[in-house]
Amino acid sequence: MGDRMANIRQAITELTLIGIDIRRTASLYETKAWGFESDDLFLNTVFECVSSKNSTDCLKATQFVEKKMGRKKTRTEGYESRIIDLDILLFKDQQIQLPELTIPHPYITERQFVIAPMHELCGSFYFHSLGTNFDQLKSKFKNADFPFVVHNGPLVNE
């Protein structure tokens, strides 16, 4: 997986170059694999983005960046360690159901490593597409200190 922090910074740069402006980033959280077994530890964060692209063009853009950075899918099903994984979690508080894209992300309310950084950026903002806010989602987890923060502060404008 290489230099995980450098990979995230490169993804920010690449997304910006293709018309997705990263406005804010949350802290980085280090976690174990979710949904599969791996000895690798992962860095997770979320970005608040602005773009004139529609949701499917944003998906194509994220997949382009993943491929450009060297992400290769070696499994036909399930999860695996990867150099970068860019997911669209929310999109303008819309609900989108397409064969290639589901928004809100289907696991957004189950992954503490997503909820913690989303809470940093959104807190009590109510998302109609989720029917809740991230204050409420964060409170459902017993271990509020998980996942472990490894880098505080924004990754943009550093």
Side-chain angles (χ1 to χ4, degrees):
M1 292 191 326
D3 183 335
R4 299 169 303 159
M5 175 80 85
N7 294 342
I8 292 171
R9 290 182 191 278
Q10 181 182 349
I12 290 170
T13 299
E14 297 292 342
L15 289 167
T16 302
L17 291 173
I18 57 175
I20 298 177
D21 182 34
I22 311 299
R23 293 286 172 91
R24 296 189 304 155
T25 62
S27 299
L28 291 172
Y29 294 83
E30 187 169 63
T31 62
K32 294 179 181 178
W34 188 93
F36 71 105
E37 295 295 320
S38 176
D39 293 332
D40 295 321
L41 293 174
F42 295 84
L43 286 183
N44 297 279
T45 190
V46 295
F47 309 148
E48 179 184 338
C49 307
V50 176
S51 179
S52 61
K53 298 178 186 302
N54 63 35
S55 61
T56 53
D57 287 341
C58 284
L59 176 64
K60 290 174 189 173
T62 60
Q63 291 171 337
F64 172 80
V65 169
E66 288 175 338
K67 190 172 184 179
K68 182 176 181 181
M69 290 181 62
R71 180 173 177 180
K72 296 174 178 65
K73 291 186 179 186
T74 58
R75 299 174 69 180
T76 56
E77 290 185 13
Y79 302 107
E80 61 189 336
S81 294
R82 54 251 184 228
I83 188 169
I84 195 76
D85 181 33
L86 302 171
D87 291 326
I88 300 172
L89 303 171
L90 297 166
F91 192 87
K92 300 178 183 177
D93 204 16
Q94 297 176 2
Q95 291 183 331
I96 300 170
Q97 187 67 49
L98 301 170
E100 68 277 13
L101 181 62
T102 301
I103 295 175
H105 189 284
Y107 300 115
I108 192 171
T109 62
E110 298 173 30
R111 295 175 171 173
Q112 193 169 2
F113 63 84
V114 172
I115 292 169
M118 286 295 290
H119 181 262
E120 280 185 50
L121 297 186
C122 305
S124 63
F125 182 84
Y126 186 86
F127 287 90
H128 294 278
S129 60
L130 290 172
T132 190
N133 62 47
F134 286 92
D135 279 341
Q136 292 173 339
L137 290 172
K138 187 175 179 188
S139 71
K140 77 177 190 175
F141 291 98
K142 292 178 184 166
N143 184 355
D145 295 329
F146 174 87
F148 182 68
V149 176
V150 294
H151 177 83
N152 286 86
L155 295 169
V156 282
N157 299 326
E158 281 192 293

